Amino acid sequence: MSDKARLIDIARALNISTTTVSRALNNKSDINAKTKEAVLHLAKQLDYQPNKLAISLRKKMSFKSIGVILPNVGHYFFSTVLKGIMRNAHLNNHLVIVGESAESNSQEQKLVEEFVNYGVNGILIAPGRESKNEDITALLESKRTPYVLMDRIFPNYTGNYVLSDDFKGAEIATTHLIENGKRRIAHIGSLHNCSVGYQRFSGYLSALDNNGISKDDSIIRECLTTKMEEGYKATQELLALENPPDAIFTVTDDVAAGVLDYCHRHQIEVPKQLAVVGYSNSELSSIIKPKLTTIEQKGERMGELAFDFFFASYKDKETIHQKTFESKLIVRESSVSIK
Amino acid sequence: MSDKARLIDIARALNISTTTVSRALNNKSDINAKTKEAVLHLAKQLDYQPNKLAISLRKKMSFKSIGVILPNVGHYFFSTVLKGIMRNAHLNNHLVIVGESAESNSQEQKLVEEFVNYGVNGILIAPGRESKNEDITALLESKRTPYVLMDRIFPNYTGNYVLSDDFKGAEIATTHLIENGKRRIAHIGSLHNCSVGYQRFSGYLSALDNNGISKDDSIIRECLTTKMEEGYKATQELLALENPPDAIFTVTDDVAAGVLDYCHRHQIEVPKQLAVVGYSNSELSSIIKPKLTTIEQKGERMGELAFDFFFASYKDKETIHQKTFESKLIVRESSVSIK
DNA sequence: TCTGATACCGAAAACCTTTACGGAAGCAGA
DNA sequence: TCTGCTTCCGTAAAGGTTTTCGGTATCAGA
């Protein structure tokens, strides 16, 4: 009972060979019913668990696998990324092992370490807000495990990645508002926390600049969780200003949903009084009333490509693969009045 | 180049021992720089890939893992189930390998086979619409792999499962409508395709029966995809009837979203003219206008328990574990007028 | 008594790698 | 010359299982 029982432990106890034990356990022919029963009995008693590694080794199996680390599997965008990854992984006979970092740095490192130790052929990771370049990539480099960053990226990172052009997406979104006559455009976002939030904020600023609108800090709100409630609260504050905004660009569709919720409850006409543009083209954006203008993010396609990049760099570690997906504006009801 | 290169192939070619090759590859000390370089060079040339199995075996590592098979990872409910599974799996040091069946029977079987061959310690599966009891469970039984069914279940199934009480949930939902004065209640659902849909349909019928309302086939609509568009179309048809319904209970929140969309576009007052109740308490239900009355489904909790059941049955295969989660009504705006 | 079939079992190789241990060679210092 | 240290390398065992090949025993039939 002490340590893990092996085939030979059973064999010795019963004075038979490991061959026979193996035969009994895998109910093959060429074995006496009594012997078999004895083996089965003892195996259960010793809580015998076959060693998968040994079996696979002997059977000449080989398994290719990739580890996927996501901040939040329940999040719509990431779940579509996962979907894309899985499609191409299965097409190429790779198992997909998934871990959730919950945006935590330590959890992320633990997963990377675990996956590497396990021996995955590669790692596809969407870094959490907290995570730092050195912590993650250094470990991966040292273990010589190919990896691809997804969605978020580190400042001086030069390796493989797939991401969407958040800067340009935000620029397009904001410009869209300006082109529709809005001049006082607020932003609710996560400015400093993660690269994605920062990129969108920067794109927003760029669009203002391009159109000769000066930045006004009073209508720029930081939100930490990018949830609906934050959008609601921020809108409340923004509309209470002496000089309230006539449009809001939010870092996320969820936040935009909060904005729209506030407007709905307080009879604020969207888009006439307040135009709203979100980000992600998540499911809710076409369900919410009014339907949300937003920026499309091709999660599934990104996942597919992330796998392809890993696969390519698996064969040729020298060349690096990088792709920034263009961002597309999807105009719905929340930003322009129906003609 | 023919077959997979091994340590000994490199060793023989260079007239050295496998020990030295191993040393070179894992850059240990005790090795001459020239030798090391030669090994590295040849290894690259032969495209040497170390055998993970052999390494792990030798290093006495052991990995516990579970395979999770879901019809659709991108679906909100399933992604929360996955979240729950992963939490408890990581807590108990199990890797989580995920596969998507896309509701396809063959894909499901392929995944089961793959996972079993791989040697997962257990399988957690949410069967797709198509899947049949025999196909799946027989295989699992034969391989002696513990498994637990999630969300959906087979007619004469007697093994481990976690699911939500769809029958009672639908009954509660329908009764709620009746209690609020509705008498002509339609149903849009997937009646025959999957157990879940059938259960909800049955619960709906039961509630009608309990309240002395006779079933009317003309206001029962079958939808195949449970997507928003189906809800929209079905509503259009239902409301065009001579004797249109005054309430609709849908199999899914998504379908309900379609109903609400139709109402919104055609100025039908919800809930006054038409009350709506969905199913799942998905994210959209609290975002949509009017907010959707629905039945709560605790995906995350279900996932957690599914893992726990597997874990328990791993140690004791005799006793079976079954849990049906109670269904809770969440009343929002779509079914009762705000008081 | 011999032949052949059948039922059961075991020795050893194979799967591929790492590692404990020891050995040889070279060189410096005494 | 001897001792001791360093540098490099190899032998063999170990990790746990499956499988090939063959062996013994028993019994029926001739």
Side-chain angles (χ1 to χ4, degrees):
Chain A
M1 200 60 78
S2 61
D3 231 354
K4 203 125 191 187
R6 299 163 305 167
L7 228 45
I8 201 171
D9 298 323
I10 301 180
R12 281 209 260 259
L14 263 41
N15 242 325
I16 54 179
S17 75
T18 58
T19 310
T20 307
V21 178
S22 172
R23 271 197 275 256
L25 259 21
N26 303 345
N27 53 349
K28 305 241 168 163
S29 56
D30 271 24
I31 186 161
N32 184 296
K34 276 211 163 59
T35 320
K36 180 170 176 174
E37 197 189 359
V39 170
L40 258 35
H41 181 74
L42 185 55
K44 171 161 289 184
Q45 195 175 319
L46 295 180
D47 187 33
Y48 170 74
Q49 306 289 354
N51 185 315
K52 291 187 297 187
L53 264 19
I55 294 174
S56 302
L57 178 61
R58 177 60 235 247
K59 287 191 173 170
K60 282 188 169 205
M61 299 181 178
S62 79
F63 292 105
K64 291 171 289 184
S65 61
I66 52 164
V68 178
I69 301 175
L70 301 172
N72 180 358
V73 178
H75 190 290
Y76 175 72
F77 174 68
F78 290 122
S79 74
T80 57
V81 171
L82 180 56
K83 211 178 164 70
I85 292 172
M86 294 209 311
R87 174 175 304 124
N88 280 14
H90 286 149
L91 244 42
N92 292 283
N93 297 310
H94 282 245
L95 291 174
V96 178
I97 302 171
V98 185
E100 198 176 58
S101 67
E103 305 275 5
S104 137
N105 191 20
S106 62
Q107 179 66 8
E108 209 165 59
Q109 279 181 267
K110 206 185 120 204
L111 283 168
V112 169
E113 200 123 17
E114 197 177 318
F115 286 174
V116 169
N117 275 337
Y118 169 72
V120 293
N121 298 76
I123 287 189
L124 273 38
I125 175 171
R129 292 188 216 297
E130 288 186 2
S131 88
K132 288 305 265 174
N133 196 345
E134 310 79 44
D135 296 343
I136 301 301
T137 60
L139 181 56
L140 288 165
E141 294 288 354
S142 79
K143 302 279 187 174
R144 292 207 176 66
T145 308
Y147 61 97
V148 171
L149 255 48
M150 303 181 296
D151 188 46
R152 298 173 192 165
I153 209 178
F154 302 118
N156 292 322
Y157 179 74
T158 56
N160 300 310
Y161 66 74
V162 289
L163 43 81
S164 42
D165 196 337
D166 291 300
F167 179 88
K168 191 162 284 177
E171 210 178 38
I172 291 171
T174 311
T175 305
H176 166 72
L177 288 168
I178 295 170
E179 282 171 351
N180 281 274
K182 305 297 181 178
R183 299 293 295 177
R184 191 157 169 73
I185 299 163
H187 178 56
I188 308 174
S190 58
L191 283 34
H192 310 296
N193 280 24
C194 66
S195 72
V196 169
Y198 182 73
Q199 287 301 319
R200 292 181 192 168
F201 175 48
S202 304
Y204 156 79
L205 290 182
S206 168
L208 293 188
D209 197 48
N210 291 344
N211 290 276
I213 300 174
S214 54
K215 170 185 167 192
D216 180 349
D217 282 331
S218 71
I219 54 172
I220 295 172
R221 298 277 152 165
E222 171 114 35
C223 64
L224 296 172
T225 61
T226 72
K227 296 303 289 174
M228 191 171 165
E229 292 74 27
E230 297 257 8
Y232 188 94
K233 229 177 58 190
T235 309
Q236 186 165 34
E237 290 167 16
L238 285 170
L239 294 186
L241 292 174
E242 284 183 39
N243 190 4
D246 55 7
I248 300 183
F249 165 60
T250 66
V251 68
T252 285
D253 283 350
D254 289 302
V255 175
V259 176
L260 293 182
D261 192 33
Y262 183 88
C263 293
H264 180 259
R265 292 204 201 183
H266 296 80
Q267 282 86 38
I268 291 157
E269 277 183 69
V270 176
K272 209 177 139 199
Q273 281 181 267
L274 189 75
V276 182
V277 175
Y279 211 108
S280 283
N281 192 31
S282 60
E283 272 180 328
L284 74 88
S285 58
S286 55
I287 284 173
I288 203 166
K289 289 284 138 53
K291 293 187 180 177
L292 186 63
T293 294
T294 188
I295 300 288
E296 187 183 27
Q297 252 186 323
K298 295 170 188 160
E300 221 165 315
R301 189 74 200 91
M302 250 177 79
E304 289 176 2
L305 203 68
F307 180 86
D308 291 343
F309 280 3
F310 143 74
F311 205 52
S313 81
Y314 189 64
K315 318 201 142 178
D316 169 19
K317 304 203 192 216
E318 309 310 324
T319 66
I320 59 174
H321 306 264
Q322 306 182 330
K323 164 83 177 181
T324 302
F325 280 89
E326 279 179 32
S327 304
K328 210 177 97 189
L329 181 74
I330 297 185
V331 180
R332 296 207 183 86
E333 304 160 356
S334 70
S335 64
V336 289
S337 309
I338 30 168
K339 330 115 208 235
Chain B
M1 201 59 78
S2 62
D3 231 356
K4 203 128 190 181
R6 298 164 305 166
L7 229 42
I8 199 169
D9 298 323
I10 300 181
R12 280 210 260 260
L14 263 44
N15 242 324
I16 55 178
S17 75
T18 59
T19 310
T20 306
V21 178
S22 172
R23 269 197 277 255
L25 259 21
N26 303 348
N27 55 346
K28 305 238 168 165
S29 55
D30 270 23
I31 185 161
N32 184 296
K34 276 210 164 60
T35 320
K36 180 170 175 175
E37 198 189 358
V39 170
L40 257 36
H41 180 76
L42 186 55
K44 171 161 289 184
Q45 195 174 318
L46 295 180
D47 188 33
Y48 170 74
Q49 305 289 353
N51 185 315
K52 292 187 297 190
L53 264 19
I55 294 174
S56 302
L57 178 62
R58 178 60 235 249
K59 287 193 175 169
K60 282 191 172 202
M61 299 180 174
S62 78
F63 292 103
K64 291 171 289 186
S65 62
I66 52 165
V68 178
I69 300 174
L70 300 172
N72 181 357
V73 178
H75 190 290
Y76 176 73
F77 175 68
F78 291 122
S79 74
T80 58
V81 170
L82 180 57
K83 210 178 162 72
I85 293 172
M86 293 208 311
R87 175 176 302 123
N88 280 15
H90 285 150
L91 245 42
N92 292 283
N93 297 311
H94 282 244
L95 290 174
V96 178
I97 302 171
V98 186
E100 199 176 57
S101 67
E103 306 274 5
S104 137
N105 192 20
S106 63
Q107 178 66 8
E108 209 166 57
Q109 280 180 266
K110 207 185 120 203
L111 282 168
V112 169
E113 199 122 16
E114 196 177 317
F115 286 175
V116 169
N117 276 338
Y118 169 74
V120 293
N121 298 80
I123 286 188
L124 274 39
I125 176 171
R129 293 186 216 296
E130 288 186 4
S131 88
K132 289 304 267 173
N133 196 345
E134 311 79 44
D135 295 343
I136 301 302
T137 62
L139 181 57
L140 288 166
E141 295 288 355
S142 79
K143 302 280 186 170
R144 293 209 174 67
T145 307
Y147 62 95
V148 18
L149 255 47
M150 304 181 296
D151 189 45
R152 298 174 192 166
I153 208 178
F154 303 116
N156 292 322
Y157 180 74
T158 56
N160 301 308
Y161 67 73
V162 289
L163 43 81
S164 41
D165 196 336
D166 290 300
F167 179 88
K168 191 162 282 177
E171 208 178 40
I172 292 170
T174 311
T175 306
H176 166 72
L177 288 168
I178 296 171
E179 283 171 351
N180 280 275
K182 305 297 182 180
R183 299 292 296 175
R184 189 155 170 74
I185 299 163
H187 178 55
I188 308 174
S190 57
L191 283 34
H192 311 295
N193 280 22
C194 66
S195 72
V196 169
Y198 181 72
Q199 288 300 319
R200 291 181 192 167
F201 176 47
S202 303
Y204 155 80
L205 290 182
S206 167
L208 294 186
D209 196 49
N210 291 343
N211 290 274
I213 301 175
S214 55
K215 169 186 167 191
D216 180 350
D217 283 330
S218 71
I219 55 172
I220 296 172
R221 298 280 151 163
E222 171 113 35
C223 64
L224 295 171
T225 61
T226 72
K227 296 304 288 177
M228 191 171 166
E229 294 72 28
E230 296 257 9
Y232 187 94
K233 228 176 58 193
T235 309
Q236 186 166 33
E237 291 167 16
L238 285 169
L239 294 186
L241 292 174
E242 285 183 37
N243 189 4
D246 55 6
I248 300 183
F249 165 59
T250 66
V251 68
T252 285
D253 283 350
D254 288 303
V255 175
V259 176
L260 292 182
D261 192 33
Y262 183 88
C263 293
H264 180 259
R265 292 204 202 185
H266 297 79
Q267 282 86 36
I268 291 156
E269 276 183 72
V270 176
K272 209 177 139 197
Q273 281 180 265
L274 189 75
V276 181
V277 175
Y279 211 109
S280 284
N281 191 31
S282 60
E283 273 180 328
L284 74 88
S285 59
S286 55
I287 283 173
I288 203 166
K289 290 282 140 52
K291 292 186 181 180
L292 185 64
T293 295
T294 187
I295 300 287
E296 186 183 28
Q297 251 186 325
K298 295 171 188 162
E300 220 166 314
R301 188 77 200 88
M302 252 178 77
E304 289 176 3
L305 203 68
F307 180 85
D308 291 345
F309 280 3
F310 144 75
F311 205 52
S313 82
Y314 190 64
K315 320 201 140 178
D316 169 18
K317 303 200 192 218
E318 308 310 323
T319 66
I320 58 173
H321 306 264
Q322 305 182 329
K323 164 84 177 181
T324 302
F325 279 90
E326 280 179 31
S327 304
K328 210 177 96 189
L329 181 74
I330 298 185
V331 179
R332 296 208 182 85
E333 304 161 357
S334 70
S335 65
V336 290
S337 309
I338 30 169
K339 331 115 207 249

